[in-house]
Amino acid sequence: MNYLAVLISGSGTNLQAIIDAIESGRLPDTQISVVVSNRKAAYGLERARRHGIPTIYHPFLPYRKAGRTREEYDTDLAEMLSDYPIDLVVLAGWMHIFTMEFLRHYCRILNIHPALPGAFPGMHAIEEAYEAYQRGEISETGVMIHWAPDEAVDAGPVAACERVPIYPDDTLESLEERIHAVEHDLYVRTIAEVLGVPLKPETEQS
Ligand code: GRF
């Protein structure tokens, strides 16, 4: 069995795609041992609970208020996670930049970013790509899944990427929808590849 920790801060649609792939048997020999959120209202926490997955809520605000550092926050999170079996840490909309205090505990951390490698790092990648397209600067965008070996933001060795076209009649919403659909499929396929488990057809149960 391969065990994942999935870290989220928001809606958790990528988390849901991974849960669905596991439950449908598409992603065999894989379990999510824990879901972590740094935001209490993250809907992804509710998704995890509904599927009986243990959750951890670990906010940074109390650390900041107490004058404690990101390193201390990261050390405590690593300590909490040590209670769970974890082969791969999957960042899925996780809005916190890890320091080496966390990164040194886990050598296999994947992150997903809704842009092609090197393009539009940060929180507004889809909007920025949409606006760059309107200015005639780009003709396509994409999705990247990369390893997180250090403290860089939305950068690191690329594990997978896929191009996503932008069409003249796209709205920001239609582009977002197309990108998220690619993310959900690409994350599941990449996790399978990294874990070395064969993806099964969706209808086939394990
Ligand atoms: C995704 O677009 C991901 O690429 C980015 O944050 C978003 C998370 O979406 N890092 P969700 O919470 O999985 O719905």
Side-chain angles (χ1 to χ4, degrees):
M1 187 58 70
N2 297 286
Y3 295 99
L4 310 179
V6 182
L7 277 56
I8 59 155
S9 300
S11 160
T13 61
N14 282 282
L15 165 66
Q16 188 70 56
I18 298 165
I19 292 173
D20 291 347
I22 292 171
E23 291 191 351
S24 71
R26 184 167 182 242
L27 183 58
D29 304 325
T30 306
Q31 263 182 34
I32 300 175
S33 47
V34 63
V35 167
V36 179
S37 175
N38 57 354
R39 295 196 179 151
K40 196 172 194 169
Y43 184 63
L45 281 175
E46 177 59 26
R47 295 178 193 272
R49 288 187 202 110
R50 280 188 195 168
H51 291 269
I53 301 167
T55 59
I56 294 174
Y57 165 53
H58 185 50
F60 180 63
L61 194 60
Y63 286 77
R64 198 164 67 198
K65 282 186 175 162
R68 299 179 68 203
T69 63
R70 279 170 50 220
E71 281 80 2
E72 289 175 285
Y73 172 93
D74 287 4
T75 301
D76 290 349
L77 180 57
E79 170 66 26
M80 289 176 199
L81 288 180
S82 68
D83 290 342
Y84 299 87
I86 297 170
D87 298 302
L88 180 66
V89 175
V90 175
L91 308 182
W94 173 247
M95 307 291 281
H96 170 87
I97 301 165
F98 280 129
T99 66
M100 290 314 293
E101 283 311 307
F102 185 84
L103 295 163
R104 70 189 175 84
H105 289 277
Y106 293 96
C107 52
R108 303 219 299 172
I109 304 175
L110 284 179
N111 184 41
I112 187 163
H113 184 63
L116 290 171
F120 311 117
M123 282 171 57
H124 305 292
I126 303 178
E127 291 93 318
E128 287 173 22
Y130 183 72
E131 285 162 14
Y133 176 84
Q134 306 302 325
R135 293 194 298 268
E137 292 167 9
I138 58 169
S139 58
E140 61 180 6
T141 182
V143 170
M144 154 177 76
I145 295 166
H146 64 93
W147 294 102
D150 58 30
E151 299 173 19
V153 178
D154 299 325
V158 176
C161 71
E162 191 167 317
R163 295 176 187 280
V164 176
I166 309 177
Y167 301 119
D169 60 351
D170 261 331
T171 59
L172 178 58
E173 291 69 32
S174 66
L175 178 60
E176 279 174 344
E177 207 174 305
R178 189 175 312 117
I179 287 178
H180 291 317
V182 170
E183 286 191 321
H184 299 162
D185 183 58
L186 189 63
Y187 224 173
V188 169
R189 285 192 280 124
T190 306
I191 290 168
E193 191 183 311
V194 162
L195 297 177
V197 298
L199 267 191
K200 293 186 179 172
E202 258 165 272
T203 49
E204 192 182 327
Q205 297 296 310
S206 56

